[in-house]
Amino acid sequence: MVRDSQAALVALNRFGFGARGGASGDLISAASDPRGFVKAELSRPNGALLEVPGLLSTPALGKAVFDYQFEIEQARASASKSAPAAATETPQATPDAKGQRRNLSLNSIAMDITAKEPPAKSPENANASMAASSAASAETMQPNVPKPPPQPLNIIQKTFRAEALARLQRGIIADCGFVERLVVFWSNHFCISANKGGLARMWAGSFEREAIRPHVLGRFADMLRAVEQHPAMLFFLDNQQSLGPDSRAGINRNRGLNENLAREIMELHSLGVNGGYSQDDVTSLARIITGWTFAGRQGQLGTPGTFVFNANAHQPGAHRVMGKIYEPSGVAQGEAVLADIARHPSTAKFIAGKFARHFVADDPPPVLVARLADVFTKSDGDLKALALALLDSEEAWKAPLTKIRSPYEFLIATGRLLGRIPEEPGRYLGGLSVLGQPLWSPAGPNGFPDSNAAWAAPEGMKLRLDISAQVASRLADNIDPRDLLELVAADAASPETRYTIERAETRQQALALLLMSPEFQRR
């Protein structure tokens, strides 16, 4: 059987998270049947789901955070009664301290990926060793500063870290990683930000598990509805604050519409900019989805943390959206609008372009975008059919690997190559923040950027080099980078990359150069 190393590199890097190290044989398997290797993940039932013991549902998490916030409120109320409030100021970090924190983050992510201790060592001892090393570094840089006692994690922090760890581990152990790449793509398309507040941070992982993962190989219309009715999205875009001006609640509270969710549904989630809608359409949709909210701590509208329709907040009457009249029918009125938007030609064009841009090139071939849009339309938004159409297209396999990996893809690929499954997420989370892509925390509702202009900037590449160098420095003589190059690219490695690694002065330098090579950085 003829093996195609170049096609294997495309299969693993463009569509997956790169080859795993050790005896995985990923590159050999992919080289024998590149398309079949990637497609294999699509045929696994429920392969996108992430069911890990200890990860709770959104309502269960909602109850936990509501109870926690209520306890905090009671504690503050008691404290304010028993003692006069003392005005305190939080000292601002100096630029030097900020730089030290960045260095520690780079140091700790490298330690977590490489983990000098043998795998048999207990997680507790391994983490203690890492913590001690980081603490020692901090004391060296600040010898006269007393070390503060560690603060216990609260329920929100514990939940976020557990969700993050499950996601990181799935990416590192996946065979190819195509389905996980689809999850990451759609999660960023329908993003929320954990920085919104306690509820958003508590629900960031469950939002992805419940609204994104079940539908990445299903129908776009189902994902759209699941996303827009999920408490995390409703909280992120403030729809629980949106009241119909003529609703009972709107009249009593003298408050009106919040158009955030309606605008992002049209502009970012479906039709796209210049998708054929007007500001009047945004306002009409905002009226239609008034009453879409989630039950709070007291559970007056339903089980805390669940989606509910509050008729008292809903703007009554029929409404026109993009030329069609939607008669009053409660929550079904908004669901009907979403179903029509999901099937609109502008949605097919917008999704196809974004999909091709993510996987193929910043400026994807127009013929590929048109073909994907056609498949999206004719299949009624079947996202598995869309993924297969991408894999079956010659353009997706022939286009050069010019897109640079995002920080998340880079760190996951590094962990895969080194064969290290993280036992705790802290260092990866720190590394993502340092590199500008904090997990589930984009700066706005448009998600993280997906272009070389964003991730190939000189400062970002320097930070990647710093991490690569520190990873390499901790591997000592345990790994031969020339062997890793065979796992990463084999015959597809360029003569320049092979020459550079073979001529490196040390193994540490060679490994750092491998991690920064085009064969590793580009997809």
Side-chain angles (χ1 to χ4, degrees):
M1 179 180 294
V2 177
R3 290 176 177 169
D4 188 341
S5 296
Q6 182 59 41
L9 188 64
V10 173
L12 285 161
N13 286 15
R14 171 158 291 159
F15 303 113
F17 281 122
R20 294 169 295 180
S24 67
D26 286 342
L27 193 78
I28 295 175
S29 298
S32 300
D33 181 11
R35 298 189 194 208
F37 179 76
V38 181
K39 288 182 178 181
E41 288 192 346
L42 301 181
S43 62
R44 294 170 187 165
N46 302 320
L49 301 184
L50 187 60
E51 297 172 338
V52 176
L55 298 186
L56 304 179
S57 67
T58 292
L61 294 172
K63 182 180 186 307
V65 75
F66 291 145
D67 290 346
Y68 169 72
Q69 291 173 339
F70 183 63
E71 291 174 5
I72 295 296
E73 291 174 6
Q74 286 186 315
R76 287 175 178 169
S78 299
S80 64
K81 292 179 181 179
S82 61
T88 60
E89 293 185 0
T90 303
Q92 297 296 314
T94 64
D96 287 342
K98 190 174 182 180
Q100 290 166 359
R101 282 202 307 274
R102 190 186 78 175
N103 289 337
L104 285 173
S105 296
L106 293 172
N107 185 60
S108 59
I109 180 64
M111 291 177 68
D112 191 61
I113 291 175
T114 59
K116 278 188 176 182
E117 299 298 334
K121 187 166 183 176
S122 69
E124 293 80 5
N125 291 340
N127 290 337
S129 175
M130 293 178 191
S133 177
S134 295
S137 299
E139 289 172 359
T140 300
M141 289 184 284
Q142 297 176 309
N144 298 322
V145 178
K147 185 170 60 177
Q151 296 296 315
L153 298 176
N154 62 42
I155 185 63
I156 298 173
Q157 294 166 326
K158 289 179 181 177
T159 297
F160 185 86
R161 289 168 68 89
E163 297 277 5
L165 180 61
R167 203 227 225 197
L168 291 166
Q169 290 177 335
R170 173 62 68 85
I172 288 176
I173 67 175
D175 287 348
C176 171
F178 183 47
V179 170
E180 279 303 292
R181 285 283 305 280
L182 292 173
V183 170
V184 173
F185 169 81
W186 288 112
S187 184
N188 191 57
H189 177 77
F190 289 113
C191 74
I192 66 166
S193 178
N195 290 334
K196 174 76 173 184
L199 277 175
R201 185 160 290 270
M202 191 76 163
W203 284 338
S206 66
F207 168 72
E208 185 175 278
R209 286 188 289 111
E210 297 168 356
I212 303 296
R213 287 183 177 275
H215 306 291
V216 293
L217 300 178
R219 294 175 62 252
F220 178 80
D222 294 335
M223 185 187 291
L224 182 66
R225 183 173 68 176
V227 162
E228 312 307 351
Q229 291 183 343
H230 196 280
M233 183 62 73
L234 297 169
F235 175 76
F236 175 55
L237 292 176
D238 304 309
N239 208 66
Q240 78 278 12
Q241 300 176 10
S242 185
L243 304 177
D246 301 320
S247 68
R248 181 182 302 177
I251 294 172
N252 291 340
R253 302 181 190 179
N254 194 28
R255 276 173 38 201
L257 295 176
N258 184 308
E259 296 184 354
N260 287 353
L261 181 59
R263 179 175 295 104
E264 307 314 351
I265 287 174
M266 290 184 152
E267 179 179 326
L268 298 178
H269 297 173
S270 59
L271 300 165
V273 178
N274 301 321
Y277 62 91
S278 67
Q279 176 56 41
D280 288 342
D281 293 319
V282 172
T283 301
S284 291
L285 179 56
R287 292 193 181 105
I288 288 174
I289 60 175
T290 49
W292 287 31
T293 186
F294 57 90
R297 181 179 63 84
Q298 296 179 346
Q300 295 177 338
L301 297 175
T303 302
T306 59
F307 169 76
V308 292
F309 177 71
N310 182 4
N312 288 332
H314 181 65
Q315 176 69 14
H319 303 284
R320 179 189 299 271
V321 178
M322 300 183 74
K324 180 176 178 178
I325 300 294
Y326 293 87
E327 298 296 334
S329 54
V331 69
Q333 186 181 34
E335 291 175 342
V337 178
L338 292 184
D340 288 341
I341 286 177
R343 295 183 175 92
H344 195 280
S346 293
T347 298
K349 182 179 178 180
F350 178 60
I351 295 300
K354 193 169 183 178
F355 200 66
R357 193 174 305 114
H358 174 77
F359 282 102
V360 180
D362 285 354
D363 295 309
V367 64
L368 173 62
V369 175
R371 188 182 307 118
L372 294 177
D374 186 57
V375 169
F376 185 95
T377 299
K378 291 181 177 178
S379 68
D380 194 22
D382 185 327
L383 299 183
K384 183 176 180 179
L386 184 71
L388 286 170
L390 177 71
L391 296 178
D392 286 334
S393 68
E394 289 300 317
E395 296 87 354
W397 292 90
K398 298 301 183 183
L401 296 172
T402 57
K403 286 189 72 76
I404 194 164
R405 281 174 163 154
S406 70
Y408 183 81
E409 293 161 359
F410 166 57
L411 294 182
I412 292 294
T414 302
R416 284 169 66 87
L417 180 61
L418 299 176
R420 302 301 303 182
I421 301 174
E423 295 167 340
E424 64 90 27
R427 279 80 175 189
Y428 276 83
L429 295 176
L432 288 170
S433 295
V434 167
L435 293 173
Q437 196 182 20
L439 185 63
W440 294 318
S441 303
N446 56 337
F448 290 109
D450 192 11
S451 67
N452 283 351
W455 301 128
E459 175 62 18
M461 297 308 293
K462 181 182 181 301
L463 290 171
R464 293 189 192 211
L465 177 58
D466 291 341
I467 288 179
S468 298
Q470 293 195 32
V471 166
S473 70
R474 282 168 174 78
L475 288 174
D477 297 321
N478 295 334
I479 291 179
D480 189 335
R482 293 171 298 182
D483 293 338
L484 288 184
L485 180 60
E486 298 306 311
L487 296 178
V488 168
D491 296 341
S494 70
E496 294 80 7
T497 295
R498 191 172 296 278
Y499 178 82
T500 299
I501 291 173
E502 289 177 349
R503 300 286 291 181
E505 296 181 1
T506 64
R507 284 189 173 186
Q508 290 83 358
Q509 184 185 66
L511 178 56
L513 291 170
L514 170 59
L515 296 179
M516 293 301 296
S517 69
E519 289 83 352
F520 193 80
Q521 287 288 337
R522 295 194 178 273
R523 60 168 182 82

